[in-house]
Coordinates of all heavy atoms in Angstrom, one line a residue:
V10 N 0.8 -1.2 0.0 CA 0.0 0.0 0.0 C 0.9 1.2 0.0 O 1.8 1.3 0.8 CB -0.9 0.0 1.2 CG1 -1.7 1.3 1.3 CG2 -1.8 -1.2 1.3
D11 N 0.6 2.1 -0.9 CA 1.3 3.4 -1.0 C 0.7 4.4 0.0 O -0.5 4.5 0.2 CB 1.3 4.0 -2.4 CG 2.1 3.2 -3.4 OD1 3.0 2.6 -2.9 OD2 1.8 3.3 -4.6
L12 N 1.6 5.1 0.7 CA 1.1 6.1 1.6 C 1.3 7.5 1.0 O 2.4 7.8 0.5 CB 2.0 6.1 2.9 CG 1.7 7.1 4.0 CD1 0.3 6.8 4.5 CD2 2.7 7.0 5.1
K13 N 0.2 8.2 0.9 CA 0.2 9.6 0.3 C 0.1 10.6 1.5 O -0.8 10.5 2.3 CB -0.9 9.8 -0.6 CG -0.8 9.0 -1.9 CD -1.9 9.3 -2.9 CE -1.7 8.5 -4.1 NZ -2.7 8.9 -5.1
V14 N 1.1 11.4 1.5 CA 1.1 12.5 2.6 C 1.3 13.8 1.9 O 2.2 14.0 1.0 CB 2.3 12.3 3.5 CG1 2.4 13.3 4.6 CG2 2.3 10.9 4.2
H15 N 0.4 14.7 2.2 CA 0.5 16.1 1.6 C 1.5 16.9 2.4 O 1.4 17.0 3.6 CB -0.9 16.7 1.6 CG -0.8 18.2 1.2 ND1 -0.7 18.5 -0.1 CD2 -0.9 19.3 1.9 CE1 -0.6 19.8 -0.3 NE2 -0.8 20.3 1.0
M16 N 2.4 17.4 1.7 CA 3.4 18.3 2.3 C 3.1 19.7 1.8 O 3.0 20.0 0.6 CB 4.8 17.9 1.8 CG 5.3 16.5 2.2 SD 5.5 16.3 4.0 CE 6.9 17.3 4.3
D17 N 3.1 20.6 2.8 CA 2.9 22.0 2.4 C 4.1 22.5 1.7 O 5.2 22.0 1.8 CB 2.7 22.9 3.7 CG 1.3 22.7 4.3 OD1 0.4 22.3 3.6 OD2 1.2 22.9 5.5
L18 N 3.9 23.6 1.0 CA 5.1 24.3 0.3 C 6.0 24.8 1.4 O 5.6 25.2 2.5 CB 4.5 25.4 -0.6 CG 3.7 24.9 -1.7 CD1 3.1 26.1 -2.5 CD2 4.4 24.0 -2.7
P19 N 7.3 24.9 1.0 CA 8.3 25.3 2.0 C 8.1 26.8 2.4 O 7.8 27.6 1.5 CB 9.6 25.1 1.3 CG 9.3 24.8 -0.1 CD 7.9 24.5 -0.2
I20 N 8.4 27.1 3.7 CA 8.4 28.5 4.1 C 9.7 29.2 3.7 O 10.6 28.5 3.2 CB 8.2 28.5 5.7 CG1 9.4 27.8 6.4 CG2 6.9 27.9 6.1 CD1 9.3 28.0 7.9
L21 N 9.8 30.5 3.9 CA 10.9 31.3 3.5 C 12.2 30.7 3.9 O 13.2 30.5 3.2 CB 10.8 32.7 4.0 CG 11.9 33.6 3.6 CD1 12.1 33.8 2.1 CD2 11.7 35.0 4.2
K22 N 12.3 30.3 5.2 CA 13.6 29.8 5.7 C 14.0 28.5 5.0 O 15.1 28.3 4.6 CB 13.5 29.5 7.2 CG 14.7 28.9 7.8 CD 14.5 28.6 9.3 CE 15.8 28.1 9.9 NZ 15.7 27.9 11.4
A23 N 13.0 27.6 4.7 CA 13.3 26.4 4.0 C 13.7 26.7 2.6 O 14.6 26.0 2.0 CB 12.1 25.4 4.1
R24 N 13.0 27.6 1.9 CA 13.3 27.9 0.5 C 14.8 28.5 0.4 O 15.5 28.1 -0.4 CB 12.3 29.0 0.0 CG 11.0 28.4 -0.2 CD 10.0 29.3 -1.0 NE 10.0 30.7 -0.6 CZ 9.1 31.3 0.2 NH1 8.2 30.5 0.8 NH2 9.2 32.5 0.5
Y25 N 15.1 29.4 1.4 CA 16.4 30.0 1.4 C 17.5 28.9 1.6 O 18.5 28.8 0.9 CB 16.5 31.0 2.6 CG 17.9 31.6 2.7 CD1 18.1 32.8 2.1 CD2 18.9 31.0 3.5 CE1 19.4 33.4 2.2 CE2 20.1 31.6 3.6 CZ 20.4 32.8 3.0 OH 21.6 33.4 3.1
E26 N 17.3 28.0 2.5 CA 18.3 26.9 2.8 C 18.4 25.9 1.7 O 19.5 25.4 1.4 CB 18.0 26.2 4.1 CG 18.2 27.1 5.4 CD 19.6 27.5 5.5 OE1 20.6 26.9 5.0 OE2 19.8 28.5 6.3
I27 N 17.3 25.6 1.0 CA 17.3 24.7 -0.2 C 18.2 25.4 -1.3 O 19.1 24.7 -1.9 CB 15.9 24.4 -0.7 CG1 15.2 23.5 0.3 CG2 15.9 23.8 -2.1 CD1 13.7 23.4 0.0
L28 N 17.9 26.6 -1.6 CA 18.6 27.3 -2.6 C 20.1 27.5 -2.3 O 21.0 27.3 -3.1 CB 18.0 28.7 -2.9 CG 16.7 28.7 -3.6 CD1 16.1 30.1 -3.7 CD2 16.7 28.0 -5.0
R29 N 20.4 27.8 -1.0 CA 21.7 27.9 -0.5 C 22.5 26.6 -0.7 O 23.6 26.6 -1.1 CB 21.7 28.3 1.0 CG 23.1 28.5 1.6 CD 22.9 29.0 3.0 NE 24.1 28.9 3.8 CZ 24.4 28.0 4.7 NH1 23.4 27.1 5.1 NH2 25.5 28.0 5.3
S30 N 21.9 25.5 -0.3 CA 22.6 24.2 -0.4 C 22.8 23.8 -1.9 O 23.9 23.3 -2.2 CB 21.8 23.1 0.3 OG 20.6 22.8 -0.4
C31 N 21.9 24.2 -2.8 CA 22.1 24.0 -4.2 C 23.3 24.8 -4.7 O 24.1 24.3 -5.5 CB 20.9 24.3 -5.0 SG 19.5 23.2 -4.7
I32 N 23.4 26.0 -4.4 CA 24.5 26.9 -4.8 C 25.8 26.4 -4.2 O 26.8 26.4 -4.9 CB 24.2 28.4 -4.5 CG1 23.0 28.8 -5.3 CG2 25.5 29.2 -4.7 CD1 22.5 30.2 -5.0
Q33 N 25.8 26.0 -3.0 CA 27.0 25.4 -2.4 C 27.5 24.2 -3.1 O 28.7 24.0 -3.3 CB 26.8 25.1 -0.9 CG 26.7 26.4 -0.1 CD 26.4 26.1 1.4 OE1 25.7 25.2 1.7 NE2 26.9 26.9 2.3
H34 N 26.5 23.4 -3.6 CA 26.9 22.2 -4.4 C 27.5 22.6 -5.7 O 28.5 22.0 -6.1 CB 25.7 21.3 -4.6 CG 26.0 20.1 -5.5 ND1 26.8 19.1 -5.1 CD2 25.7 19.9 -6.8 CE1 26.9 18.2 -6.1 NE2 26.2 18.7 -7.1
L35 N 26.9 23.6 -6.4 CA 27.4 24.1 -7.6 C 28.8 24.7 -7.4 O 29.7 24.6 -8.3 CB 26.5 25.1 -8.3 CG 25.1 24.6 -8.8 CD1 24.2 25.7 -9.2 CD2 25.3 23.5 -9.8
Q36 N 29.1 25.2 -6.3 CA 30.4 25.7 -6.0 C 31.4 24.6 -5.8 O 32.5 24.6 -6.2 CB 30.4 26.6 -4.7 CG 29.7 28.0 -4.9 CD 29.6 28.8 -3.7 OE1 29.3 28.2 -2.6 NE2 29.8 30.1 -3.8
S37 N 30.9 23.5 -5.2 CA 31.8 22.4 -4.9 C 32.2 21.6 -6.2 O 33.3 21.0 -6.2 CB 31.2 21.4 -3.9 OG 30.1 20.7 -4.6
V38 N 31.4 21.8 -7.2 CA 31.8 21.1 -8.5 C 32.3 22.2 -9.5 O 32.3 21.9 -10.7 CB 30.6 20.3 -9.1 CG1 30.3 19.1 -8.2 CG2 29.4 21.2 -9.3
N39 N 32.6 23.4 -9.0 CA 33.2 24.4 -9.8 C 32.3 25.0 -11.0 O 32.9 25.4 -12.0 CB 34.6 24.0 -10.3 CG 35.5 23.8 -9.2 OD1 35.6 24.6 -8.3 ND2 36.3 22.8 -9.3
I40 N 31.0 24.9 -10.8 CA 30.2 25.6 -11.8 C 30.0 27.0 -11.4 O 29.9 27.9 -12.3 CB 28.8 24.8 -11.9 CG1 29.0 23.5 -12.6 CG2 27.8 25.6 -12.7 CD1 27.8 22.6 -12.6
V41 N 29.9 27.2 -10.1 CA 29.8 28.6 -9.6 C 31.1 28.8 -8.8 O 31.4 28.0 -7.9 CB 28.6 28.8 -8.7 CG1 28.6 30.1 -8.0 CG2 27.3 28.6 -9.5
A42 N 31.8 29.9 -9.1 CA 33.1 30.2 -8.5 C 32.8 30.8 -7.1 O 31.9 31.5 -6.8 CB 33.8 31.2 -9.3
T43 N 33.7 30.4 -6.2 CA 33.7 30.9 -4.8 C 34.7 32.0 -4.8 O 35.9 31.9 -5.2 CB 34.1 29.8 -3.8 OG1 33.2 28.7 -4.0 CG2 34.1 30.3 -2.4
T44 N 34.3 33.2 -4.4 CA 35.2 34.4 -4.3 C 35.2 34.9 -2.8 O 34.3 34.6 -2.1 CB 34.7 35.5 -5.2 OG1 33.4 35.9 -4.9 CG2 34.8 35.1 -6.7
E45 N 36.3 35.6 -2.5 CA 36.4 36.1 -1.2 C 35.2 37.1 -0.9 O 34.9 37.9 -1.8 CB 37.7 36.8 -1.0 CG 38.0 37.2 0.5 CD 39.4 37.6 0.6 OE1 40.3 37.1 0.0 OE2 39.6 38.5 1.5
G46 N 34.6 37.0 0.2 CA 33.5 38.0 0.5 C 32.2 37.5 -0.1 O 31.2 38.3 0.0
S47 N 32.1 36.3 -0.7 CA 30.9 35.9 -1.3 C 30.3 34.7 -0.5 O 29.6 33.8 -1.0 CB 31.0 35.5 -2.7 OG 31.9 34.4 -2.8
T48 N 30.6 34.6 0.8 CA 30.1 33.5 1.6 C 28.6 33.6 1.8 O 28.0 34.7 2.0 CB 30.7 33.6 3.0 OG1 32.1 33.6 2.9 CG2 30.3 32.5 3.9
L49 N 27.9 32.5 1.6 CA 26.5 32.4 1.8 C 26.1 32.1 3.2 O 26.3 31.0 3.6 CB 25.9 31.4 0.8 CG 26.0 31.7 -0.7 CD1 25.6 30.5 -1.5 CD2 25.1 32.8 -1.0
A50 N 25.6 33.1 3.9 CA 25.3 32.8 5.3 C 24.0 32.0 5.4 O 23.2 32.0 4.5 CB 25.0 34.2 6.0
S51 N 23.9 31.3 6.5 CA 22.7 30.5 6.8 C 21.5 31.5 7.0 O 21.8 32.7 7.3 CB 22.8 29.6 8.0 OG 22.9 30.4 9.2
F52 N 20.3 31.0 6.9 CA 19.2 31.9 7.1 C 19.2 32.5 8.5 O 19.0 33.7 8.7 CB 17.9 31.1 7.0 CG 16.6 32.0 7.0 CD1 16.2 32.7 5.9 CD2 15.9 32.1 8.2 CE1 15.1 33.5 5.9 CE2 14.8 32.9 8.2 CZ 14.4 33.6 7.1
D53 N 19.5 31.7 9.5 CA 19.6 32.2 10.9 C 20.7 33.3 11.1 O 20.5 34.3 11.8 CB 19.8 31.1 11.9 CG 18.6 30.2 12.0 OD1 17.5 30.6 11.7 OD2 18.8 29.0 12.3
Q54 N 21.8 33.1 10.4 CA 22.9 34.0 10.5 C 22.5 35.4 9.9 O 22.7 36.4 10.5 CB 24.2 33.5 9.8 CG 24.9 32.4 10.5 CD 26.0 31.9 9.7 OE1 25.9 31.8 8.4 NE2 27.1 31.5 10.3
Q55 N 21.9 35.3 8.7 CA 21.6 36.6 8.1 C 20.5 37.3 8.8 O 20.4 38.5 8.8 CB 21.3 36.4 6.6 CG 20.0 35.6 6.2 CD 18.8 36.4 6.2 OE1 18.9 37.6 6.0 NE2 17.7 35.8 6.3
Q56 N 19.6 36.6 9.5 CA 18.5 37.2 10.3 C 19.2 37.9 11.5 O 18.7 38.9 11.9 CB 17.5 36.2 10.7 CG 16.6 35.6 9.6 CD 15.6 36.7 9.1 OE1 15.8 37.9 9.3 NE2 14.6 36.2 8.6
H57 N 20.2 37.2 12.1 CA 20.9 37.8 13.2 C 21.6 39.1 12.9 O 21.8 39.9 13.8 CB 21.9 36.7 13.8 CG 22.7 37.2 15.0 ND1 22.1 37.3 16.2 CD2 24.0 37.5 15.1 CE1 23.0 37.8 17.0 NE2 24.2 37.8 16.4
W58 N 22.1 39.2 11.7 CA 22.8 40.4 11.3 C 22.0 41.6 11.0 O 22.5 42.7 10.7 CB 23.7 40.1 10.0 CG 24.8 39.1 10.3 CD1 25.4 38.8 11.5 CD2 25.4 38.3 9.3 NE1 26.3 37.8 11.3 CE2 26.4 37.5 10.0 CE3 25.3 38.1 7.9 CZ2 27.2 36.6 9.4 CZ3 26.1 37.2 7.3 CH2 27.0 36.5 8.0
N59 N 20.6 41.4 11.0 CA 19.7 42.5 10.8 C 20.0 43.4 9.6 O 20.1 44.6 9.7 CB 19.7 43.4 12.1 CG 19.1 42.7 13.3 OD1 18.2 41.9 13.1 ND2 19.6 43.0 14.5
G60 N 20.1 42.8 8.4 CA 20.2 43.5 7.2 C 21.7 43.9 6.9 O 21.9 44.6 5.9
Q61 N 22.6 43.5 7.7 CA 24.0 43.9 7.5 C 24.8 42.8 6.8 O 26.0 42.8 6.7 CB 24.7 44.1 8.9 CG 24.1 45.3 9.7 CD 24.1 46.6 8.9 OE1 25.1 47.0 8.3 NE2 23.0 47.3 9.0
S62 N 24.1 41.9 6.1 CA 24.8 40.8 5.4 C 25.3 41.2 4.1 O 25.0 42.3 3.6 CB 23.8 39.6 5.2 OG 22.6 40.0 4.6
N63 N 26.2 40.4 3.5 CA 26.8 40.8 2.2 C 25.8 40.8 1.1 O 24.7 40.2 1.2 CB 28.0 39.9 1.9 CG 27.7 38.5 1.8 OD1 26.6 38.1 1.3 ND2 28.6 37.6 2.2
S64 N 26.2 41.3 0.0 CA 25.3 41.4 -1.2 C 24.8 40.1 -1.7 O 23.7 39.9 -2.2 CB 25.9 42.3 -2.3 OG 27.1 41.6 -2.8
V65 N 25.7 39.1 -1.6 CA 25.4 37.7 -2.1 C 24.2 37.1 -1.3 O 23.3 36.6 -1.8 CB 26.6 36.8 -2.1 CG1 26.3 35.4 -2.4 CG2 27.6 37.4 -3.1
T66 N 24.4 37.3 0.0 CA 23.4 36.7 0.9 C 22.0 37.5 0.7 O 21.0 36.9 0.7 CB 23.8 36.9 2.4 OG1 25.0 36.1 2.6 CG2 22.8 36.4 3.4
K67 N 22.1 38.8 0.5 CA 20.9 39.5 0.3 C 20.2 39.1 -1.0 O 19.0 39.0 -1.1 CB 21.2 41.0 0.2 CG 21.5 41.6 1.6 CD 21.8 43.1 1.5 CE 22.2 43.7 2.8 NZ 22.6 45.1 2.7
A68 N 21.0 38.8 -2.1 CA 20.5 38.4 -3.3 C 19.8 37.0 -3.2 O 18.8 36.8 -3.8 CB 21.6 38.4 -4.4
L69 N 20.4 36.1 -2.4 CA 19.9 34.8 -2.2 C 18.5 34.9 -1.5 O 17.6 34.2 -1.8 CB 20.8 33.9 -1.5 CG 20.4 32.5 -1.2 CD1 20.0 31.8 -2.5 CD2 21.4 31.7 -0.4
L70 N 18.5 35.8 -0.5 CA 17.2 36.0 0.3 C 16.1 36.5 -0.6 O 15.0 36.1 -0.6 CB 17.5 37.0 1.4 CG 16.2 37.3 2.3 CD1 15.7 36.0 2.9 CD2 16.6 38.3 3.4
E71 N 16.5 37.4 -1.5 CA 15.5 37.9 -2.5 C 15.0 36.8 -3.4 O 13.8 36.7 -3.7 CB 16.2 39.1 -3.3 CG 15.2 39.8 -4.2 CD 15.8 40.9 -5.0 OE1 16.8 41.5 -4.5 OE2 15.4 41.2 -6.1
C72 N 15.9 36.0 -3.9 CA 15.5 34.8 -4.7 C 14.5 33.9 -3.9 O 13.5 33.4 -4.5 CB 16.7 34.0 -5.1 SG 17.7 34.8 -6.4
A73 N 14.8 33.7 -2.6 CA 14.0 32.8 -1.8 C 12.6 33.5 -1.6 O 11.6 32.8 -1.7 CB 14.6 32.6 -0.5
Q74 N 12.6 34.8 -1.5 CA 11.3 35.5 -1.3 C 10.5 35.4 -2.6 O 9.3 35.2 -2.6 CB 11.5 36.9 -0.9 CG 12.1 37.1 0.5 CD 12.6 38.5 0.8 OE1 13.0 39.2 -0.1 NE2 12.6 38.8 2.1
K75 N 11.1 35.5 -3.7 CA 10.4 35.5 -5.0 C 10.0 34.1 -5.4 O 9.2 33.9 -6.3 CB 11.3 36.1 -6.1 CG 11.5 37.6 -6.0 CD 12.4 38.1 -7.1 CE 12.5 39.6 -7.0 NZ 13.3 40.2 -8.1
S76 N 10.5 33.1 -4.8 CA 10.2 31.7 -5.1 C 9.0 31.1 -4.3 O 8.8 29.9 -4.3 CB 11.4 30.8 -5.0 OG 11.8 30.7 -3.7
E77 N 8.3 32.0 -3.7 CA 7.1 31.5 -3.0 C 6.1 30.8 -3.9 O 5.9 31.2 -5.1 CB 6.3 32.7 -2.3 CG 5.2 32.2 -1.4 CD 4.6 33.4 -0.6 OE1 5.1 34.5 -0.7 OE2 3.7 33.1 0.1
G78 N 5.6 29.6 -3.5 CA 4.8 28.8 -4.4 C 5.5 27.7 -5.1 O 4.8 26.8 -5.7
F79 N 6.8 27.6 -5.0 CA 7.6 26.5 -5.6 C 7.6 25.4 -4.5 O 7.8 25.6 -3.3 CB 9.0 27.0 -5.9 CG 9.1 27.8 -7.1 CD1 8.7 29.1 -7.1 CD2 9.8 27.3 -8.2 CE1 8.8 29.9 -8.3 CE2 9.9 28.1 -9.4 CZ 9.4 29.4 -9.4
S80 N 7.6 24.2 -5.0 CA 7.8 23.0 -4.2 C 9.3 22.9 -3.9 O 10.1 23.4 -4.6 CB 7.2 21.7 -4.9 OG 8.1 21.4 -6.0
G81 N 9.6 22.1 -2.9 CA 11.0 21.8 -2.6 C 11.7 21.1 -3.8 O 12.8 21.5 -4.1
R82 N 11.0 20.2 -4.4 CA 11.6 19.6 -5.6 C 11.9 20.5 -6.7 O 13.0 20.5 -7.3 CB 10.6 18.5 -6.1 CG 11.2 17.7 -7.3 CD 10.3 16.6 -7.6 NE 10.2 15.6 -6.6 CZ 9.4 14.5 -6.5 NH1 8.5 14.4 -7.5 NH2 9.5 13.7 -5.5
S83 N 11.0 21.5 -7.0 CA 11.2 22.5 -8.0 C 12.4 23.4 -7.6 O 13.2 23.8 -8.5 CB 9.9 23.3 -8.2 OG 8.9 22.5 -8.7
L84 N 12.5 23.8 -6.4 CA 13.5 24.6 -5.9 C 14.9 24.0 -6.1 O 15.9 24.6 -6.5 CB 13.4 25.0 -4.4 CG 12.3 26.0 -4.1 CD1 12.0 26.1 -2.7 CD2 12.6 27.4 -4.7
R85 N 15.0 22.7 -5.9 CA 16.3 21.9 -6.0 C 16.7 21.9 -7.5 O 17.9 21.9 -7.8 CB 16.1 20.5 -5.5 CG 16.0 20.6 -4.0 CD 16.6 19.5 -3.2 NE 18.0 19.3 -3.4 CZ 19.0 19.9 -2.7 NH1 18.7 20.9 -1.9 NH2 20.3 19.6 -2.9
R86 N 15.8 21.9 -8.4 CA 16.1 21.9 -9.8 C 16.4 23.3 -10.4 O 17.1 23.4 -11.4 CB 15.0 21.3 -10.7 CG 14.8 19.8 -10.5 CD 13.8 19.3 -11.5 NE 12.5 19.9 -11.4 CZ 11.4 19.2 -11.1 NH1 11.5 18.0 -10.8 NH2 10.2 19.9 -11.1
L87 N 15.9 24.3 -9.8 CA 16.0 25.7 -10.3 C 17.4 26.2 -10.6 O 17.7 26.7 -11.7 CB 15.3 26.6 -9.3 CG 15.0 28.0 -9.8 CD1 14.2 28.0 -11.1 CD2 14.3 28.8 -8.7
P88 N 18.4 26.1 -9.6 CA 19.7 26.6 -9.9 C 20.4 26.0 -11.1 O 21.0 26.7 -11.9 CB 20.5 26.3 -8.6 CG 19.4 26.3 -7.6 CD 18.3 25.6 -8.2
L89 N 20.3 24.7 -11.3 CA 21.0 24.0 -12.4 C 20.3 24.4 -13.7 O 20.9 24.6 -14.7 CB 21.0 22.5 -12.2 CG 21.9 21.8 -13.2 CD1 23.3 22.3 -13.2 CD2 21.9 20.3 -13.0
Q90 N 18.9 24.5 -13.7 CA 18.2 24.9 -14.9 C 18.6 26.4 -15.2 O 18.7 26.7 -16.4 CB 16.7 24.8 -14.6 CG 16.2 23.4 -14.6 CD 14.7 23.4 -14.2 OE1 14.2 24.3 -13.7 NE2 14.1 22.2 -14.5
A91 N 18.8 27.2 -14.3 CA 19.2 28.6 -14.5 C 20.5 28.6 -15.2 O 20.7 29.4 -16.1 CB 19.2 29.4 -13.2
H92 N 21.4 27.8 -14.7 CA 22.8 27.8 -15.3 C 22.7 27.3 -16.7 O 23.3 27.9 -17.6 CB 23.7 26.9 -14.5 CG 25.0 26.7 -15.1 ND1 25.4 25.7 -15.9 CD2 26.1 27.5 -15.0 CE1 26.6 25.8 -16.3 NE2 27.1 26.9 -15.8
A93 N 21.9 26.3 -17.0 CA 21.8 25.7 -18.3 C 21.2 26.7 -19.3 O 21.6 26.8 -20.5 CB 21.1 24.4 -18.3
Q94 N 20.2 27.4 -18.9 CA 19.4 28.2 -19.8 C 19.9 29.6 -20.0 O 19.8 30.2 -21.0 CB 17.9 28.3 -19.4 CG 17.2 26.9 -19.5 CD 15.8 27.0 -19.2 OE1 15.2 28.1 -18.9 NE2 15.1 25.9 -19.2
F95 N 20.4 30.2 -18.9 CA 20.7 31.6 -19.0 C 22.2 32.0 -18.9 O 22.5 33.2 -19.1 CB 20.0 32.4 -17.8 CG 18.5 32.2 -17.9 CD1 17.9 31.4 -16.9 CD2 17.8 32.7 -18.9 CE1 16.5 31.2 -17.0 CE2 16.4 32.6 -19.0 CZ 15.8 31.8 -18.0
L96 N 23.1 31.1 -18.7 CA 24.5 31.5 -18.6 C 25.3 31.1 -19.8 O 26.5 31.0 -19.8 CB 25.1 31.0 -17.3 CG 24.4 31.6 -16.1 CD1 24.9 30.9 -14.8 CD2 24.6 33.1 -16.0
G97 N 24.6 30.7 -20.9 CA 25.3 30.5 -22.2 C 26.3 29.4 -22.2 O 27.2 29.5 -23.0
G98 N 26.2 28.4 -21.4 CA 27.1 27.3 -21.4 C 28.5 27.6 -20.9 O 29.4 26.7 -21.1
R99 N 28.7 28.7 -20.3 CA 30.0 29.0 -19.7 C 30.3 28.0 -18.6 O 29.4 27.5 -17.9 CB 30.1 30.4 -19.2 CG 30.0 31.5 -20.3 CD 30.1 32.8 -19.7 NE 28.7 33.1 -19.3 CZ 28.4 34.1 -18.5 NH1 29.4 34.9 -18.0 NH2 27.2 34.4 -18.1
N100 N 31.6 27.6 -18.5 CA 32.0 26.6 -17.6 C 31.8 27.1 -16.1 O 31.5 26.3 -15.2 CB 33.4 26.2 -17.8 CG 33.5 25.4 -19.1 OD1 32.5 24.8 -19.5 ND2 34.7 25.4 -19.6
Q101 N 32.1 28.3 -15.9 CA 32.1 28.8 -14.5 C 31.7 30.3 -14.5 O 32.1 31.1 -15.3 CB 33.5 28.6 -13.8 CG 33.4 28.9 -12.3 CD 34.8 28.6 -11.7 OE1 35.8 29.1 -12.2 NE2 34.8 27.8 -10.7
V102 N 30.9 30.7 -13.5 CA 30.5 32.0 -13.3 C 30.6 32.4 -11.8 O 30.7 31.5 -10.9 CB 29.0 32.3 -13.7 CG1 28.8 32.1 -15.2 CG2 28.0 31.4 -12.9
S103 N 30.7 33.6 -11.5 CA 30.8 34.0 -10.1 C 29.5 33.9 -9.4 O 28.4 33.9 -10.1 CB 31.3 35.5 -10.0 OG 30.3 36.4 -10.4
V104 N 29.5 33.7 -8.1 CA 28.2 33.6 -7.4 C 27.4 34.9 -7.5 O 26.2 34.9 -7.6 CB 28.5 33.2 -5.9 CG1 29.2 34.3 -5.1 CG2 27.2 32.7 -5.2
E105 N 28.1 36.1 -7.6 CA 27.4 37.3 -7.7 C 26.6 37.4 -9.1 O 25.5 37.8 -9.1 CB 28.4 38.5 -7.7 CG 29.0 38.7 -6.3 CD 30.3 37.9 -6.1 OE1 30.6 37.0 -6.9 OE2 30.9 38.1 -5.0
E106 N 27.3 36.9 -10.1 CA 26.7 36.9 -11.4 C 25.6 35.9 -11.5 O 24.5 36.1 -12.1 CB 27.7 36.6 -12.5 CG 27.2 36.6 -13.9 CD 28.3 36.4 -15.0 OE1 29.4 36.0 -14.6 OE2 28.0 36.5 -16.1
F107 N 25.8 34.8 -10.8 CA 24.7 33.7 -10.8 C 23.5 34.2 -10.2 O 22.4 33.9 -10.6 CB 25.3 32.5 -10.1 CG 24.4 31.3 -10.2 CD1 24.4 30.5 -11.4 CD2 23.6 30.9 -9.2 CE1 23.6 29.4 -11.5 CE2 22.8 29.8 -9.3 CZ 22.8 29.0 -10.5
L108 N 23.6 34.9 -9.1 CA 22.4 35.4 -8.3 C 21.9 36.7 -8.9 O 20.8 37.1 -8.5 CB 22.7 35.5 -6.8 CG 22.9 34.2 -6.1 CD1 23.5 34.5 -4.7 CD2 21.7 33.4 -6.1
G109 N 22.6 37.4 -9.7 CA 22.2 38.7 -10.3 C 21.3 38.6 -11.3 O 20.2 38.5 -11.6

């Protein structure tokens, strides 16, 4: 017997952390370059900083806010799809350019 469980759409914190983990994976495989000062803070860290976070973290938060209504599965696919469709097949881009 299959069990069907309805999962609500992810809240802002979950969307942020899903996107953050995807970008960190793209950095680990050198699709997105890691540069000094481009550290992606966790959701809790950036909330603690009260708006004093770096531009990369702010851009990621904006992406998470704009992705309301996306399922967790869709969010996990989004960064790689963005790279494939909008970055012209370049091997590596900066995290700032990727989120911009």
Side-chain angles (χ1 to χ4, degrees):
V10 174
D11 289 335
L12 179 64
K13 291 185 179 183
V14 178
H15 174 72
M16 298 292 293
D17 287 335
L18 295 174
I20 61 173
L21 177 61
K22 179 178 180 175
R24 292 191 312 265
Y25 179 92
E26 290 298 340
I27 290 168
L28 292 172
R29 179 175 168 255
S30 70
C31 291
I32 292 171
Q33 287 175 327
H34 176 71
L35 292 175
Q36 288 175 322
S37 72
V38 296
N39 294 319
I40 291 174
V41 174
T43 304
T44 58
E45 191 172 324
S47 66
T48 304
L49 293 168
S51 71
F52 186 82
D53 292 333
Q54 286 174 325
Q55 67 87 21
Q56 291 287 25
H57 178 71
W58 294 337
N59 294 327
Q61 300 300 317
S62 53
N63 63 32
S64 62
V65 173
T66 299
K67 288 179 184 178
L69 181 58
L70 180 60
E71 186 178 332
C72 289
Q74 290 167 336
K75 289 181 177 181
S76 65
E77 186 171 358
F79 284 70
S80 69
R82 183 175 291 172
S83 295
L84 286 170
R85 292 216 54 85
R86 288 193 299 247
L87 190 62
L89 191 56
Q90 288 175 340
H92 178 265
Q94 290 183 5
F95 300 111
L96 297 174
R99 289 180 282 166
N100 290 336
Q101 191 175 51
V102 295
S103 70
V104 69
E105 293 87 354
E106 185 178 7
F107 188 77
L108 290 171

